Amino acid sequence: MKTKHKAMTKRSIGPRTLLYPHPDLIIGTYDASGRPDAMTAAWGGICSSRPPSVAVSVQKARQTYANLLKQREFTISIPSTDYVREADYFGIVSGRDEDKFAATNLTPVKSDLVNAPYVGEFPVVLECRLLQTVEIGVHTQFIGEILDVKVEESVIGEDGKPDIEKIRPFAYDSMRQEYYGFGKVLAKAFSAGKEFKK
């Protein structure tokens, strides 16, 4: 016999930039003079399987916006929980005013496939070429084709795949303005729900 679930009562809190979880993505670009810059973005995620693509939304006022339009290539570095302070800093200062890599003592590494830097200490990097832009209110969405993913050897599991428990990424809560780590595995995807199939 199937368990009867109880519907929850909802309270309206109005239109918000709310989604659980927001990823914590570090966009790496070069400015017009070739100086490396990095910006934290929570408005982003995978947007296509073929070609493999990721989208990030950036406000026009950001230095990264100008860099993306100029270079048309970028990286996305995924930080581990060891670097939550540095990732936060990348989001609260402008690359126009400060050298973020020098301030955090992190290493800008030139990407192999695109003209953009990534953060050498972060365990996962996506190398991307800009496919298109979409204007959405105060943000522009930059859609990039993922040309390669580079993963630190130490976070690859015995099965040859990246291991999220070793990567230790974190997420952003836009309502509380806090960062959260991930917990244990809950279930196997494309398997747990099979019990409902007829």
Side-chain angles (χ1 to χ4, degrees), residues 91-123:
I92 59 178
V93 300
S94 172
R96 289 187 186 93
D97 305 322
E98 298 189 38
D99 182 335
K100 299 181 192 182
F101 284 98
T104 56
N105 204 29
L106 293 176
T107 310
V109 178
K110 186 176 187 318
S111 166
D112 295 328
L113 299 181
V114 297
N115 185 35
Y118 62 84
V119 183
E121 291 79 2
F122 294 178

Side-chain angles (χ1 to χ4, degrees), residues 49-167:
S49 300
R50 289 195 189 94
S53 302
V54 63
V56 289
S57 293
V58 180
Q59 291 186 357
K60 292 177 175 64
R62 302 299 296 256
Q63 176 64 45
T64 294
Y65 175 88
N67 296 350
L68 285 165
L69 288 180
K70 172 89 174 157
Q71 304 295 346
R72 303 191 65 79
E73 295 180 325
F74 62 99
T75 64
I76 291 178
S77 299
I78 300 175
S80 70
T81 54
D82 294 335
Y83 295 99
V84 68
R85 293 180 306 127
E86 289 85 348
D88 187 61
Y89 172 78
F90 283 163
I92 59 178
V93 300
S94 172
R96 289 187 186 93
D97 305 322
E98 298 189 38
D99 182 335
K100 299 181 192 182
F101 284 98
T104 56
N105 204 29
L106 293 176
T107 310
V109 178
K110 186 176 187 318
S111 166
D112 295 328
L113 299 181
V114 297
N115 185 35
Y118 62 84
V119 183
E121 291 79 2
F122 294 178
V124 179
V125 176
L126 285 64
E127 297 171 296
C128 307
R129 178 176 298 133
L130 187 63
L131 287 177
Q132 68 182 84
T133 60
V134 180
E135 298 296 322
I136 310 172
V138 299
H139 283 79
T140 299
Q141 186 177 66
F142 291 86
I143 299 172
E145 180 179 358
I146 302 168
L147 303 181
D148 193 24
V149 177
K150 291 186 167 48
V151 183
E152 173 65 36
E153 288 280 355
S154 64
V155 301
I156 296 177
E158 292 181 6
D159 59 1
K161 298 176 182 177
D163 184 335
I164 195 169
E165 291 186 352
K166 292 180 178 179
I167 295 169

